[in-house]
Amino acid sequence: VLAAPGALALRADDLMARFNQPPLLPLTPKRGRGLSDQSLRFIAAHRLTPNVVQQAGDIQTLLALVAAGVGVALLPHSITHIAPAGIDILPLSGEETEWQVGIAWDPQRADALRDNFIQTALAVQRA
């Protein structure tokens, strides 16, 4: 998703045409290589030329910068659960917006924390 300050009044239908206008706030590649690479793939696939003004080492800092009106950020959909007021969450589409993840475990070994995580993840995925 694209997290944008509400004051920008970006809309999903004109997002790609206006993508390069506000400053882009990426996650530092050292802290989030997967998200960083995925963002670069999205930018390249759409032939965008964003103006990167600042990087941050964690998603909460990026959200705070977006809320302060510093710029916009490409972030995982899960931030919708923690985004502060004043941020518009704009959905993105296309192959570059999805990322396959997996988990492997030994079902013979009891682990309540793991089982709770899997149940929660499956419930979110179905929602």
Side-chain angles (χ1 to χ4, degrees):
V1 300
L2 183 77
L8 285 180
L10 290 176
R11 296 184 330 259
D13 61 345
D14 71 348
L15 175 61
M16 298 316 290
R18 295 182 57 197
F19 188 92
N20 296 327
Q21 292 174 353
L24 181 65
L25 307 165
L27 186 64
T28 305
K30 283 194 304 188
R31 293 292 308 248
R33 174 55 61 195
L35 179 59
S36 180
D37 287 349
Q38 186 177 12
S39 296
L40 290 174
R41 283 191 303 273
F42 178 84
I43 289 166
H46 293 280
R47 296 187 172 104
L48 301 170
T49 54
N51 175 26
V52 176
V53 295
Q54 184 174 349
Q55 294 181 338
D58 62 76
I59 289 174
Q60 279 80 5
T61 301
L62 287 174
L63 287 171
L65 290 168
V66 171
V70 176
V72 300
L74 290 167
L75 296 170
H77 183 268
S78 59
I79 63 102
T80 58
H81 305 291
I82 62 169
I87 292 181
D88 289 339
I89 306 299
L90 300 158
L92 301 171
S93 62
E95 186 176 318
E96 311 81 22
T97 63
E98 296 182 10
W99 187 1
Q100 291 290 329
V101 296
I103 183 172
W105 69 92
D106 179 359
Q108 302 301 319
R109 185 170 172 216
D111 187 329
L113 183 61
R114 174 203 64 214
D115 295 342
N116 185 46
F117 170 77
I118 293 169
Q119 288 175 351
T120 302
L122 289 173
V124 168
Q125 184 180 26
R126 290 183 197 123

